[in-house]
Amino acid sequence: MSARIQAIRGMHDLVPEGMACWQRLESAVREIVDAYGYQEIRFPVLEKTELFKRSIGEVTDIVEKEMYTFDDRNGDSLTLRPEGTAGCVRACIENGLLHNQVQKLWYMGPMFRHERPQKGRYRQFYQIGIETFGLAGPDIDAELILMARRLWQRLGILDQLELQINSLGTSADRKTYRVALVDYLQQHREQLDDDSLRRMETNPMRVLDSKNPEVQKVVASAPSLVDYLNEEARADFEGLKSTLEACGVAYTINPRLVRGLDYYSKTVFEWVTDRLGAQGTVCAGGRYDGLVEQLGGKPVPAIGFAMGLERLVALLEEAGDCPQRTPDVYLVLVGDVAISQGASLAESLRDDLPRLKLVQHCGAGSFKSQFKKADRSGAGYALILGDDEVEQGTIGVKPLRGQGDQVTVPIAELARHLSDMISD
Ligand code: ATP
Ligand code: MG
């Protein structure tokens, strides 16, 4: 045997057995985005490196050390997308979706970051993202949070999540705040690590984001950006809070919540859980009013968020509430004549009952071995067609989950018989 080739570290296969929670999550998301009037957008997983540098920011974890960047055959520097917002904005500008119109969009797909793999942190992971354009808030800010809450409710995990909000103000607010923050950090520089010292010079708000417990202690008493908000940012933040209160959404204000990317302004928020150890943020987002212009479009206010599907699936798995999808019926075919008629019988049932989930046994085999497979498939019923049945124009219908005895049904009446059974 040849040596096996293994998957890349931190990049996982999702095998059928583990898909139930993924499917439950994804179909709940589709229902909810539909219900709120959001439209799907898709864009490439590969973009020019410049796109991410210019949007996410040079002095961020992602751009400094997490991107999968390589030269294309013609020498262009390309990067596997580490997040969706930058590509989404690029696609919207390029396709003229932002000319005096509101867009409410969502997308789903893999993202790539070269991080140290651990529980809840992978090198290829999946996100579902929501982005809206042309709305300055705070009504839309609240809508995004309410939409996420409805999703958690539908999935039965709302009580495991806490909503944290903050406002990063306008860029003028951050400029004033920056001076106060650097001043404070300078006074505690002996407690900062090298990363934080460097960031204090280049991008001091990133220090608030540090995962180092020593730095976090210093940061705990740092000045708060909320105290530096101008009239407009303050009014928006108050507007968001009062809508959340009117809708009965519990929240905490976390003044250290700055988000790890450069493009955010005003409202930022995260949904966090204490059930997943260190990787507790399952959904994060915020307003990014400057980004469209920064990427070459006309200025358009925007806000969005992204959720990490692996972390949400982990919560759903813990709740243990994701039934496997199983077939309604498994068609057992014993004998040459029965086998030769199996496909046309299966197709005519599919014509008559478009929602029927029918697995046709392929590959012949004894009655006993086929019956075992029928049982293992999780199907509700086995349909048993042998040469005798073909001759008599009948078929056996055997309940597999303890719903009574086997009955013999004329083939002409099978579709009606099944539709009665499946609908109850
Ligand atoms: P963290 O602080 O955990 O590194 P982040 O701020 O880098 O998160 P975002 O860029 O905001 O994460 O991405 C949004 C969401 O995507 C996160 O809240 C998380 O659920 C998920 N996510 C981010 N990075 C990873 C990863 N490497 N593996 C799995 N999920 C991830
Ligand atoms: Mg990160």
Side-chain angles (χ1 to χ4, degrees):
M1 262 197 292
S2 310
R4 279 200 224 161
I5 299 171
Q6 295 197 312
I8 297 166
R9 194 165 121 81
M11 301 202 178
H12 292 278
D13 305 308
L14 299 170
V15 297
E17 207 185 349
M19 290 308 288
C21 288
W22 286 82
Q23 287 169 344
R24 172 143 186 253
L25 171 58
E26 289 171 17
S27 58
V29 168
R30 281 178 199 281
E31 280 168 25
I32 281 173
V33 291
D34 227 26
Y36 282 74
Y38 285 62
Q39 291 182 297
E40 186 174 6
I41 184 167
R42 297 189 190 192
F43 40 88
V45 294
L46 206 53
E47 298 273 1
K48 292 184 179 155
T49 303
E50 181 60 20
L51 175 70
F52 302 113
K53 285 196 176 165
R54 216 202 286 174
S55 55
I56 296 169
E58 299 264 5
V59 191
T60 55
D61 278 351
I62 292 181
V63 172
E64 277 182 342
K65 48 191 185 202
E66 296 175 358
M67 295 206 302
Y68 278 93
T69 297
F70 60 93
D71 286 344
D72 195 1
R73 286 178 191 276
N74 55 16
D76 297 332
S77 178
L78 304 183
T79 294
L80 279 167
R81 63 182 186 192
E83 52 102 55
T85 305
C88 184
V89 170
R90 187 216 31 80
C92 284
I93 296 172
E94 203 163 322
N95 292 281
L97 302 184
L98 303 181
H99 298 309
N100 303 319
Q101 37 187 327
V102 167
Q103 293 290 349
K104 295 184 171 185
L105 305 172
W106 73 279
Y107 52 82
M108 170 160 63
M111 306 295 159
F112 304 84
R113 297 185 194 177
H114 196 276
E115 303 199 64
R116 192 170 68 77
Q118 52 195 294
K119 185 170 175 267
R121 198 174 286 289
Y122 310 99
R123 290 181 173 176
Q124 172 171 330
F125 61 99
Y126 290 82
Q127 281 185 345
I128 287 175
I130 306 274
E131 315 287 353
T132 71
F133 299 93
L135 297 166
D139 48 1
I140 185 69
D141 307 22
E143 177 172 298
L144 293 193
I145 290 174
L146 292 167
M147 189 157 66
R149 180 182 67 157
R150 188 166 296 278
L151 177 64
W152 316 142
Q153 254 164 353
R154 184 148 318 171
L155 295 169
I157 53 174
L158 180 61
D159 60 348
Q160 296 169 34
L161 293 169
E162 181 196 59
L163 171 64
Q164 300 186 348
I165 61 172
N166 191 23
S167 174
L168 301 184
T170 60
S171 59
D173 301 338
R174 289 194 297 279
K175 218 175 252 167
T176 328
Y177 171 68
R178 200 184 150 118
V179 177
L181 177 64
V182 172
D183 207 46
Y184 171 86
L185 293 174
Q186 285 288 9
Q187 289 165 31
H188 298 83
R189 51 180 309 137
E190 65 291 345
Q191 286 154 271
L192 300 179
D193 57 15
D194 287 349
D195 242 15
S196 301
L197 285 171
R198 194 167 46 81
R199 290 185 167 189
M200 188 173 73
E201 310 292 335
T202 50
N203 193 347
M205 278 176 54
R206 271 306 76 75
V207 180
L208 301 180
D209 220 15
S210 170
K211 300 217 162 72
N212 178 340
E214 285 306 305
V215 177
Q216 281 174 349
K217 269 187 224 157
V218 175
V219 157
S221 318
S224 283
L225 181 49
V226 271
D227 298 328
Y228 291 76
L229 300 185
N230 73 9
E231 202 62 35
E232 180 199 325
R234 193 183 300 274
D236 279 4
F237 198 47
E238 290 307 316
L240 170 65
K241 289 194 293 188
S242 66
T243 306
L244 294 179
E245 281 154 27
C247 296
V249 182
Y251 63 85
T252 5
I253 296 173
N254 176 359
R256 313 290 154 227
L257 185 64
V258 294
R259 312 283 306 111
L261 296 77
D262 266 4
Y263 51 57
Y264 288 113
S265 57
K266 291 189 178 166
T267 301
V268 288
F269 60 91
E270 289 193 354
W271 290 91
V272 298
T273 177
D274 55 13
R275 306 286 180 99
L276 300 176
Q279 272 55 254
T281 304
V282 299
C283 174
R287 180 159 283 285
Y288 51 91
D289 290 341
L291 183 59
V292 175
E293 189 178 20
Q294 213 174 304
L295 291 178
K298 289 209 186 104
V300 174
I303 179 166
F305 69 79
M307 49 193 143
L309 301 199
E310 284 79 2
R311 295 181 194 179
L312 284 167
V313 164
L315 279 183
L316 288 174
E317 280 170 349
E318 203 182 283
D321 198 16
C322 299
Q324 281 285 346
R325 294 192 185 182
T326 50
D328 298 313
V329 296
Y330 190 102
L331 177 57
V332 170
L333 300 165
V334 187
D336 292 343
V337 187
I339 288 172
S340 74
Q341 299 202 358
S344 66
L345 173 62
E347 287 305 299
S348 80
L349 287 172
R350 291 179 179 121
D351 288 341
D352 292 340
L353 304 169
R355 297 176 62 83
L356 178 72
K357 290 185 276 175
L358 179 154
V359 175
Q360 182 194 335
H361 181 84
C362 294
S366 70
F367 175 78
K368 199 171 160 206
S369 77
Q370 291 193 38
F371 197 74
K372 242 191 211 158
K373 291 193 172 109
D375 194 38
R376 230 182 284 143
S377 76
Y381 299 87
L383 303 180
I384 299 158
L385 190 69
D387 290 351
D388 290 349
E389 281 84 0
V390 173
E391 202 163 296
Q392 290 155 20
T394 62
I395 189 162
V397 179
K398 183 172 172 56
L400 296 172
R401 315 280 144 212
Q403 327 88 309
D405 296 326
Q406 177 169 340
V407 293
T408 302
V409 177
I411 288 195
E413 286 168 29
L414 180 60
R416 193 154 42 81
H417 186 82
L418 289 180
S419 88
D420 289 348
M421 288 181 336
I422 292 161
S423 60
D424 51 54

